Amino acid sequence: MADNADYRLLDQAHLEKGIGPSHVMTVRIELEPGSQGSPPHRHSGPVFAYLVEGELVFELEGEPERVIRAGEAFWEPGGDVIHYQAANNLSDARSVFIAVMVCAPGEEMLTFVSADELAERAHLRHPRPA
């Protein structure tokens, strides 16, 4: 890093497996006020993201849902883990995040999960708030 650079670690992850040959893409995602975002899905590889503005309700399989606020980073491991939600938590403002997605070669970056599979894996979802 240059002496005049401002360096701040936002998030980090220790991946269990090597990624190998990959397709990497960076996307900007804007969610309108109250948007529920994408339906439950999974990614073929890890995803690293930074919330530029707004708030997200974020939930991965096996973890409680949590609110991510502007200036915070988040990630998901990809593979078999279901990404239940990344919904705009605000009813009066948009939420915007930048995501870097590492896709396994020859696989789709995002695959939607069927209702049958959601039912089969319901026991893996963290209990929902009342």
Side-chain angles (χ1 to χ4, degrees):
M1 299 293 307
D3 289 339
N4 60 353
D6 179 16
Y7 175 82
R8 180 171 54 125
L9 179 65
L10 298 173
D11 196 9
Q12 62 182 340
H14 301 281
L15 303 177
E16 296 294 322
K17 300 176 187 173
I19 296 172
S22 302
H23 176 90
V24 179
M25 63 179 84
T26 302
V27 297
R28 179 181 183 274
I29 299 166
E30 181 174 327
L31 299 173
E32 294 302 317
S35 172
Q36 294 303 301
S38 295
H41 60 274
R42 61 174 47 95
H43 297 278
S44 63
V47 177
F48 302 88
Y50 177 79
L51 190 61
V52 177
E53 63 183 87
E55 291 184 359
L56 290 178
V57 177
F58 184 75
E59 181 188 4
L60 291 178
E61 187 172 67
E63 298 180 7
E65 66 180 44
R66 61 189 168 112
V67 175
I68 298 169
R69 293 177 173 78
E72 295 178 346
F74 56 101
W75 82 286
E76 58 186 281
D80 195 42
V81 175
I82 294 175
H83 179 175
Y84 283 99
Q85 61 178 324
N88 187 344
N89 196 40
L90 303 175
S91 61
D92 60 348
R94 68 184 184 163
S95 291
V96 178
F97 61 99
I98 304 296
V100 177
M101 298 176 283
V102 181
C103 308
E107 293 185 33
E108 294 292 324
M109 182 279 298
L110 182 144
T111 305
F112 293 109
V113 179
S114 71
D116 288 343
E117 185 178 1
L118 286 174
E120 289 170 11
R121 296 175 68 112
H123 67 284
L124 300 172
R125 191 171 188 179
H126 194 276
R128 309 274 304 168

